Amino acid sequence: MKNIKFFLLITGTVCAALLSVACGAPAAGRSHVTDSGDPAYEALTIQIEGLRELGGGIAEITVAELRTLPQYELAASYRRTTGLYEEFLMTGPLLKDVIAFAGGNLDDCAGLGMTGRDNYYCLFSREVIDDTPDLMIAVTVDGLAKLDDDKYPAWAAVQGQFGPYWVKQLEKIIMYEEIPEKNIKNVWVFAGLTEGIAGIEYEYYGSRDNAMDLEQIFSRLDYVDSKAFFTMKSSDGFKKNEAMNMVKSRYYIKTDGEDSPTNVAPYVKLGMNVRKIAWFSANADAVFFPYMLAEYMDTKTVKGETGIPLDELLYEVEIDTVKAAEFEIIGRSGERCRAPGSELKDAIMIPLPGGGAKVIWTESSDHPDTDDLLRIRLVEDK
């Protein structure tokens, strides 16, 4: 590989948005490839950082070199956040072949990040990588070997995954040997956690909406691990991870207006937002919007009221050991109710006007209801 260079290890930044589903399987590799005819364009590079074989250093691969690898075709369609569809025919090498050409092995990483020239960043978990064996780096789109300004030098094609994974203007691929696991111990109601935090006005598609500074929200948590990832899940099922160092400053959760709750920041372009967030989490804390969870989670009726079973809520925000643990349900006025996880199926969370929530138990339970829920805490001294 003629253009490998070594650099100091540097950290990647923030990721991209469209809602999408790709259709059609990649066609077999083709032997004939036409380049753009522009030597300067063909010399553009994509960096590959964190290769174990390079001791964490960085390799570079040019557009011309990408074209020397087996080329595959993919018919793809995207649904933007506006609801409009676009279709593309993409051609390029598979990501595993790109990594192998650089001297690495895609199977060695716990996950990877992709960064665009516009600083858009997206984390690919091992699960996403394994579910997308035909993950491709497109160098030709709709027959154009020289991509437009908003796409060049390459475009990640991630068949079957949501649009934010389809990173345009691909500039860097970051291989991670380790992604810190989350250990959620507190589950907060957003309205209670953020009470008293002054919002700011943030412009979104011409509207000036209220938004909360994520840095101030983090300041109310016990500990936020800078090596962990910040996770957001939308009510439509899309889950996105961000590098923690990218969300600790000038990053906001917009709480009213169109698409709220949604993430906004100066470097998150419109259309790249996670719309209608149901919950988000740091390493040890999850925060949820009761009314958004109610849009997609199963409910049941207790004492004539309908809500989400408490155990299912905890599973949803990724507490895996609910039945074997014990929890404390804490109200905003300080009232507390302690219960084993095996009994939480007998309680439901009911959204309240204004973003709050309450918890009520079945009539057969001895636990008291909580009229204004603040958080559910994992008890570690059981």
Side-chain angles (χ1 to χ4, degrees):
M1 178 174 175
K2 63 177 183 294
N3 283 329
I4 287 204
K5 301 178 183 177
F6 299 94
F7 297 87
L8 294 176
L9 183 65
I10 54 178
T11 308
T13 45
V14 198
C15 162
L18 296 166
L19 290 172
S20 102
V21 177
C23 57
R30 303 185 307 165
S31 58
H32 178 68
V33 179
T34 303
D35 68 24
S36 66
D38 181 343
Y41 182 89
E42 296 299 306
L44 293 172
T45 61
I46 293 172
Q47 295 183 345
I48 302 174
E49 179 182 310
L51 290 166
R52 180 183 300 175
E53 293 74 10
L54 302 183
I58 298 177
E60 285 189 343
I61 183 169
T62 66
V63 172
E65 288 170 331
L66 288 171
R67 298 191 203 276
T68 67
L69 302 176
Q71 303 291 293
Y72 295 80
E73 288 187 349
L74 177 69
S77 65
Y78 300 83
R79 180 169 63 87
R80 293 182 175 271
T81 55
T82 58
L84 298 176
Y85 280 85
E86 294 188 39
E87 296 181 350
F88 305 92
L89 181 63
M90 297 175 162
T91 305
L94 298 181
L95 176 63
K96 64 180 181 181
D97 293 338
V98 175
I99 300 300
F101 185 72
N105 186 337
L106 183 59
D107 292 336
D108 288 343
C109 69
L112 60 86
M114 291 193 188
T115 304
R117 288 185 293 108
D118 56 359
N119 288 330
Y120 183 71
Y121 169 91
C122 190
L123 173 71
F124 292 69
S125 67
R126 187 72 245 178
E127 180 182 9
V128 169
I129 297 169
D130 291 341
D131 287 347
T132 319
D134 46 18
L135 205 165
M136 190 178 79
I137 305 302
V139 289
T140 301
V141 177
D142 290 338
L144 295 177
K146 186 173 184 178
L147 304 186
D148 295 338
D149 288 348
D150 66 339
K151 302 180 182 68
Y152 83 88
W155 189 348
V158 196
Q159 183 181 17
Q161 301 296 338
F162 281 86
Y165 289 104
W166 297 63
V167 181
K168 296 181 180 180
Q169 306 179 46
L170 184 59
E171 182 176 62
K172 181 183 290 186
I173 300 168
I174 308 154
M175 307 276 285
Y176 296 111
E177 287 208 8
E178 180 182 3
I179 296 178
E181 292 186 5
K182 291 178 182 284
N183 184 15
I184 304 299
K185 299 176 181 179
N186 288 285
V187 180
W188 302 83
V189 178
F190 181 86
L193 178 63
T194 60
E195 183 178 12
I197 294 178
I200 66 163
E201 281 193 346
Y202 202 98
E203 186 170 345
Y204 185 80
Y205 288 105
S207 174
R208 301 194 67 84
D209 301 326
N210 189 64
M212 294 276 188
D213 187 338
L214 196 59
E215 185 175 14
Q216 292 190 54
I217 297 173
F218 282 165
S219 70
R220 298 194 169 186
L221 307 179
D222 290 337
Y223 173 63
V224 177
D225 188 347
S226 61
K227 295 181 181 180
F229 288 96
F230 178 69
T231 302
M232 295 169 284
K233 184 172 179 181
S234 170
S235 61
D236 64 9
F238 172 60
K239 187 167 68 173
K240 182 175 184 289
N241 294 297
E242 299 275 37
M244 192 66 75
N245 66 315
M246 296 307 302
V247 304
K248 277 194 165 184
S249 178
R250 301 176 69 215
Y251 200 100
Y252 309 92
I253 303 296
K254 188 175 78 73
T255 56
D256 62 12
E258 186 178 1
D259 296 334
S260 66
T262 189
N263 63 320
V264 289
Y267 42 82
V268 176
K269 290 186 176 181
L270 291 177
M272 296 182 178
N273 316 84
V274 180
R275 302 164 59 248
K276 299 186 180 299
I277 296 170
W279 59 266
F280 60 83
S281 66
N283 55 293
D285 296 86
V287 182
F288 70 94
F289 295 87
Y291 56 96
M292 296 308 303
L293 287 178
E295 287 198 0
Y296 67 94
M297 291 192 68
D298 291 337
T299 60
K300 74 175 187 178
T301 300
V302 172
K303 297 176 182 176
E305 299 194 69
T306 301
I308 298 165
L310 223 52
D311 59 342
E312 293 301 325
L313 188 159
L314 298 182
Y315 285 127
E316 170 62 17
V317 298
E318 301 182 342
I319 295 181
D320 296 325
T321 57
V322 175
K323 288 184 178 179
E326 189 164 335
F327 296 88
E328 190 172 38
I329 301 164
I330 304 172
R332 290 172 74 170
S333 299
E335 66 273 29
R336 295 170 182 264
C337 166
R338 188 158 168 166
S342 59
E343 295 182 12
L344 296 186
K345 66 182 185 304
D346 297 325
I348 60 172
M349 182 280 296
I350 302 169
L352 296 174
K358 67 178 180 179
V359 172
I360 64 172
W361 294 82
T362 59
E363 293 180 349
S364 61
S365 173
D366 294 330
H367 299 298
D369 297 343
T370 303
D371 293 331
D372 195 355
L373 178 65
L374 173 61
R375 64 168 167 156
I376 304 168
R377 182 180 72 88
L378 175 65
V379 178
E380 297 184 283
D381 60 350
K382 183 180 177 182

